[in-house]
Amino acid sequence: MAQTLTAEQKRKRTELAAVVGIPVLLLLLYLFKRPIVSLVQFVGTCGFYTVTGKYCPGCGNTRSVRCMLNGDFLLALRMNLTMPFLTVLGALFYIEMIFDLLGKRIRIVPRKIWFLTAVLAFFGIYFIVRNFMPGIAPIPMP
């Protein structure tokens, strides 16, 4: 007779699959970083930048990921703060998931509206200000 799983058991299985699968995926990403980075040549130029001469919120994300894959996190921050921020946020959620699987429910990332509002306000200001401050604007890849 088939055993039906409770919602909690299904959630735990999904978390366990993620806890095991994410490091495997990251290892594969690292092992195949050269072919992945070589795909950058097929990414076209930003249409918004071409027309307006201003950086859109996505400008520099591809270069940022490329820098992170090469281990240059400071240059990744310079290209665009979004991808390094999302990487750290994802790592914090991953840590929370591991603790949850171990039976200790912790929350590292705030779930309050003030946190989301602050993050969105910061990035909104950053995406505008970097068009007027060359020190935080993306730079061409070396």
Side-chain angles (χ1 to χ4, degrees):
M1 194 176 234
Q3 178 186 6
T4 57
L5 298 175
T6 66
E8 180 66 17
Q9 289 172 324
K10 288 180 183 178
R11 184 180 66 77
K12 289 285 186 185
R13 280 192 177 181
T14 304
E15 284 183 357
L16 182 60
V19 165
V20 172
I22 289 173
V24 170
L25 186 65
L26 291 175
L27 177 64
L28 289 172
L29 186 66
Y30 178 75
L31 291 175
F32 294 103
K33 73 178 180 181
R34 286 200 191 278
I36 292 169
V37 168
S38 69
L39 293 174
V40 170
Q41 65 185 336
F42 299 110
V43 176
T45 57
C46 175
F48 184 83
Y49 182 77
T50 303
V51 171
T52 65
K54 301 293 182 198
Y55 299 111
C56 75
C59 281
N61 276 339
T62 304
R63 287 171 277 176
S64 182
V65 170
R66 183 175 168 193
C67 292
M68 286 192 302
L69 284 172
N70 289 322
D72 194 344
F73 294 99
L74 290 177
L75 189 56
L77 287 169
R78 171 69 192 268
M79 296 302 181
N80 192 323
L81 293 177
T82 307
M83 297 315 289
F85 174 78
L86 291 176
T87 301
V88 169
L89 194 63
L92 294 175
F93 280 122
Y94 182 76
I95 292 167
E96 286 183 1
M97 193 181 336
I98 290 172
F99 276 98
D100 191 39
L101 274 173
L102 296 173
K104 183 168 172 103
R105 194 170 186 98
I106 64 165
R107 294 291 173 240
I108 301 171
V109 181
R111 272 36 171 213
K112 303 287 185 188
I113 192 71
W114 65 263
F115 178 74
L116 179 61
T117 304
V119 168
L120 291 175
F122 171 80
F123 276 101
I125 293 167
Y126 164 74
F127 292 138
I128 294 168
V129 170
R130 73 183 185 148
N131 280 295
F132 305 103
M133 293 181 65
I136 61 172
I139 58 175
M141 280 302 289

